């Protein structure tokens, strides 16, 4: 236990113990506020499958800043694969990137055969992001793997 000085042990008139002077003058320590990261240019990855559309916005180094998908917006079941759901997901992700990170221009990379491909790109432009280039990065096999057997319905 720490020893208190004898002068601060009791006040002369009341006899009650006095508060230590160090505790009264202690200042509150505040954590330094995190600086807002400003990323003017980024890359948008759109993965459009038949069942869902996922939008990921990264900086030019590939670090994810924000993302959204049709399922994260609240669509369920077969409605996740619709162009409207892809548009809403794209608007949500672009709004966060524009407001929180100050993003102005993007490069778009679209992957997959889904119906939300074009509506997601249009929504990015409608959200106020300047689209520099649109690339289709859908993987195409060069007769590598054997395809699955034909569906019988």
């Amino acid at each position: 236990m720490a020893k208190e000085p004898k002068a601060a042990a009791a006040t002369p008139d009341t006899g009650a113990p006095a508060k230590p002077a160090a505790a009264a003058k202690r200042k509150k320590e505040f954590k330094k506020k995190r600086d807002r990261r400003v990323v003017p240019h980024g890359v948008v990855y759109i993965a459009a499958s038949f069942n869902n559309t996922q939008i990921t916005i990264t900086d030019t180094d590939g670090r994810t800043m924000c993302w959204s998908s049709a399922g994260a917006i609240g669509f369920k079941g077969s409605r996740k694969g619709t162009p409207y759901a892809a548009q809403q997901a794209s608007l949500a992700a672009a709004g966060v990137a524009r407001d929180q990170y100050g993003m102005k221009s993007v490069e778009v990379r679209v992957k997959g055969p889904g119906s939300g491909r074009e509506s997601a790109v249009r929504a990015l432009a409608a959200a106020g992001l300047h689209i520099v280039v649109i690339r289709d990065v859908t993987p195409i096999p060069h007769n590598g793997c054997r395809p699955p057997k034909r569906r019988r319905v």
Side-chain angles (χ1 to χ4, degrees):
M1 287 219 314
K3 294 182 180 178
E4 294 183 24
K6 290 185 181 181
T11 52
D13 16 321
T14 59
K19 292 182 182 176
K25 291 187 178 180
R26 186 180 301 164
K27 289 187 177 180
K28 288 186 179 178
E29 294 178 12
F30 293 104
K31 288 185 179 177
K32 188 178 176 186
K33 217 175 192 184
R34 193 171 64 133
D35 292 334
R36 198 183 107 178
R37 209 170 124 212
V38 176
V39 183
H41 183 73
V43 184
V44 178
Y45 295 91
I46 299 172
S49 70
F50 292 119
N51 297 322
N52 203 352
T53 303
Q54 300 163 343
I55 291 97
T56 305
I57 301 180
T58 69
D59 57 7
T60 51
D61 295 331
R63 291 186 290 251
T64 300
M65 293 168 8
C66 56
W67 64 273
S68 184
S69 70
I73 295 297
F75 291 93
K76 290 185 177 179
S78 60
R79 289 190 301 238
K80 288 193 296 185
T82 61
Y84 179 70
Q87 175 186 352
Q88 295 301 312
S90 190
L91 282 172
V96 172
R98 186 190 63 233
D99 297 339
Q100 286 189 4
Y101 296 99
M103 189 169 285
K104 291 183 173 47
S105 63
V106 291
E107 174 184 327
V108 179
R109 296 182 186 175
V110 186
K111 180 189 282 190
S115 60
R117 292 164 55 104
E118 283 150 36
S119 61
V121 175
R122 289 177 196 266
L124 289 172
L129 296 178
H130 179 258
I131 297 174
V132 178
V133 64
I134 301 172
R135 283 204 181 100
D136 188 1
V137 292
T138 304
I140 300 167
H142 295 278
N143 285 346
C145 297
R146 180 176 174 161
K149 64 184 180 183
R150 192 171 155 267
R151 278 186 72 199
R152 290 186 293 247
V153 180

